[in-house]
Amino acid sequence: VDMRNHYESEIGHFKNAILPVVESFREELPLVRDLLKDKKDQKILLYCTGGVRCEKASAYLKHYGYKDVNQLYGGIIEYARQIK
């Protein structure tokens, strides 16, 4: 799940990523929870720009019973740094 702002996702995202279309992070959390409602027992990977939103989003999803929530360490910034 791409947890970045929609304009960042439009620049580029991972293939098959879920791209929530919202105006704010506050709107994004319940939407993502709803989009993943049938996946509570599946592995979920969140990614963000630097990782801060993913920290909050993963805690939010775990609070609602999602079992295996993961995140891209350091976000897209760290990922891009490592693949160069």
Side-chain angles (χ1 to χ4, degrees):
V1 181
D2 189 336
M3 297 299 295
R4 299 174 300 156
N5 294 317
H6 66 88
Y7 54 85
E8 293 173 299
S9 297
E10 290 172 7
I11 293 169
H13 55 271
F14 290 111
K15 184 178 178 179
N16 298 322
I18 295 171
L19 308 171
V21 180
V22 294
E23 292 299 317
S24 71
F25 184 61
R26 182 175 292 186
E27 293 174 62
E28 192 169 26
L29 292 174
L31 176 65
V32 168
R33 188 180 80 201
D34 188 53
L35 290 170
L36 300 174
K37 66 183 169 206
D38 297 330
K39 298 177 179 9
K40 284 191 172 189
D41 293 323
Q42 294 181 18
K43 182 175 281 207
I44 296 169
L45 174 65
L46 307 173
Y47 66 94
C48 305
T49 303
V52 175
R53 282 185 186 192
C54 287
E55 289 291 330
K56 293 179 180 182
S58 64
Y60 177 87
L61 290 173
K62 288 177 182 178
H63 174 78
Y64 283 97
Y66 292 81
K67 308 277 187 255
D68 194 2
V69 182
N70 303 277
Q71 38 186 306
L72 183 62
Y73 175 77
I76 293 293
I77 293 171
E78 181 63 18
Y79 175 78
R81 188 188 71 74
Q82 288 187 23
I83 63 167
K84 285 188 177 177

